[in-house]
Amino acid sequence: MARSANQKSKLLYVRDFLLRSSDQEHPVTVNQIIGFLSQQDIRAERKSIYDDIETLRRFGLDIIQTKEDGRCGYYVGDREFQLPELKLLVDSVQASKFITHKKTVSLIKKIEGLSSVYQARQLSRQVFVANRIKTMNESIYYNVDEIHSGIAQNRQIRFHYFDYTVDKQRRFRREGGFYQVSPFALTWDDENYYMVAYDSQAQVIKHFRVDKMVDIAVLEEERDGKRAYAALDMAVYARKVFGMFSGEERRVRLRFDSRMVGAVLDRLGRDAVLVPDGPDHFTVTADVVVSPQFFAWIFGFHTLAQIVGPQDVVEEMGNYLAQVAEMYAAKE
């Protein structure tokens, strides 16, 4: 009998069947493997399957043999990604506001493909994409790719940058003119994806929302600002900048109720020095970018947090609160 065109791929089909159709709760038999190969127009004998399984084991695939009621079965044990790890990935994709609905569904399908079909069903039951807030910019994947190309090639990039109008239409900044910057890193903050880049014209490090960038192109000019970026600690930078709002970096002293220790460490990091201030409070000194978003963070603690210095920042916080209070003041 003539060999089918798929016969040379037999070992690959066996590997794929074990990875997709078996796990600890669902071992497969040699007869099931032979049946699957037959569907692919591949002839196989039991002995050749045993040989294939041994070859795959030597290759590094963790194939476990089981025996129950005299019936032998096989399943893939240790995988590149375990089910709890895949659940973490699915949760991260679901929660990522900068990934569109369409791309979210596509990515989760690919993550499910890293597990057995039975584990994939467990992952599917944990998918909650509907009604989540997601970006409207479908080109974000291509944006990330272009930005990485600029970084890898040590080249500047240009792009259009936009905001949304009340009627949900794009309104381009700089009257539709291009931005030209030197990209250095991508960072995730407050559920949004940002590019950190050096603006040669302003001679400062800036950040841009990736989902608000379009028409990205890598240029021939080499990147500027390498010294400025080298002096920048990205982990520290992300802690200082609240909601990626720009402002003046200041060293401020804050006073919190002792119940807020966890929230402060989550924001400022585990290396923040907390100094007891009486039985129920503590103070902490931190370098932050003073902005409305920083004031909003402090205000979110109500009376459990207070800026205590320097005085000009305290006064700026007072002015911020006064402006908000004026909006809600009772009218005569």
Side-chain angles (χ1 to χ4, degrees):
M1 185 182 295
R3 291 162 62 91
S4 76
N6 289 338
Q7 199 71 34
K8 289 185 178 180
S9 304
K10 173 170 165 284
L11 185 63
L12 298 177
Y13 277 104
V14 172
R15 177 180 179 273
D16 184 66
F17 183 70
L18 286 167
L19 285 169
R20 293 293 291 142
S21 301
S22 77
D23 55 39
Q24 189 170 0
E25 287 75 36
H26 304 90
V28 297
T29 65
V30 169
N31 285 339
Q32 287 176 307
I33 297 174
I34 291 174
F36 169 74
L37 292 174
S38 177
Q39 294 173 9
Q40 317 308 317
D41 195 25
I42 297 174
R43 293 184 295 107
E45 299 176 353
R46 295 182 66 86
K47 183 180 182 305
S48 70
I49 300 300
Y50 296 135
D51 291 340
D52 289 340
I53 289 172
E54 188 56 36
T55 298
L56 291 171
R57 278 176 174 158
R58 288 199 301 269
F59 182 72
L61 194 62
D62 183 34
I63 302 175
I64 310 297
Q65 182 178 2
T66 65
K67 274 193 177 182
E68 187 174 344
D69 298 329
R71 184 184 181 209
C72 285
Y74 300 89
Y75 69 90
V76 177
D78 188 25
R79 295 169 178 263
E80 188 170 358
F81 289 95
Q82 297 301 318
L83 185 58
E85 296 172 325
L86 295 176
K87 287 179 178 178
L88 283 174
L89 292 176
V90 167
D91 287 344
S92 297
V93 172
Q94 287 184 125
S96 298
K97 193 165 67 176
F98 61 84
I99 304 177
T100 64
H101 279 275
K102 181 179 177 181
K103 293 297 184 184
T104 295
V105 172
S106 173
L107 267 178
I108 290 175
K109 285 294 182 186
K110 291 179 181 180
I111 292 172
E112 290 174 356
L114 299 172
S115 67
S116 72
V117 291
Y118 309 103
Q119 293 172 334
R121 290 170 191 164
Q122 293 185 51
L123 292 173
S124 294
R125 286 195 289 270
Q126 294 195 359
V127 173
F128 306 101
V129 178
N131 299 321
R132 285 184 179 270
I133 297 174
K134 293 284 189 176
T135 183
M136 295 183 283
N137 187 358
E138 285 288 350
S139 66
I140 188 165
Y141 271 23
Y142 310 104
N143 290 357
V144 171
D145 188 51
E146 285 295 307
I147 293 168
H148 274 299
S149 293
I151 294 172
Q153 298 173 33
N154 191 34
R155 294 289 185 267
Q156 295 184 31
I157 64 170
R158 74 174 188 180
F159 56 92
H160 286 121
Y161 200 57
F162 66 87
D163 296 306
Y164 283 107
T165 62
V166 175
D167 57 355
K168 302 177 184 177
Q169 300 300 310
R170 293 177 180 179
R171 179 175 57 203
F172 289 96
R173 296 189 185 181
R174 295 188 174 179
E175 298 181 346
F178 278 103
Y179 284 73
Q180 181 170 333
V181 299
S182 300
F184 281 97
L186 288 163
T187 185
W188 189 5
D189 184 83
D190 195 25
E191 299 185 4
N192 290 309
Y193 213 19
Y194 294 88
M195 174 188 70
V196 178
Y198 183 77
D199 185 325
S200 301
Q201 187 174 2
Q203 297 187 344
V204 292
I205 295 286
K206 291 185 177 180
H207 42 260
F208 301 87
R209 279 257 305 258
V210 175
D211 60 303
K212 292 187 175 182
M213 300 166 60
V214 292
D215 306 321
I216 302 177
V218 179
L219 306 176
E220 290 300 319
E221 292 97 321
E222 287 193 4
R223 291 184 299 174
D224 292 329
K226 293 179 183 178
R227 288 185 179 180
Y229 181 73
L232 184 70
D233 186 320
M234 280 301 302
V236 174
Y237 177 77
R239 288 206 305 263
K240 292 177 181 177
V241 182
F242 286 73
M244 286 296 168
F245 272 66
S246 299
E248 182 184 2
E249 183 176 325
R250 300 294 301 277
R251 191 167 185 80
V252 299
R253 185 164 172 261
L254 310 170
R255 186 173 186 263
F256 292 90
D257 185 285
S258 296
R259 289 171 289 178
M260 297 297 103
V261 168
V264 171
L265 294 180
D266 286 345
R267 177 68 236 193
L268 301 180
R270 294 284 166 174
D271 56 348
V273 179
L274 311 184
V275 180
D277 184 14
D280 301 318
H281 294 83
F282 67 90
T283 62
V284 60
T285 300
D287 295 320
V288 303
V289 172
V290 176
S291 67
Q293 198 74 2
F294 165 64
F295 293 143
W297 180 70
I298 293 294
F299 182 69
F301 293 106
H302 195 44
T303 59
L304 302 179
Q306 179 185 9
I307 302 172
V308 294
Q311 185 58 34
D312 63 319
V313 178
V314 174
E315 293 172 359
E316 196 174 344
M317 176 68 173
N319 293 334
Y320 169 81
L321 295 176
Q323 291 171 12
V324 174
E326 187 177 353
M327 288 180 60
Y328 293 94
K331 304 299 182 182
E332 292 291 338

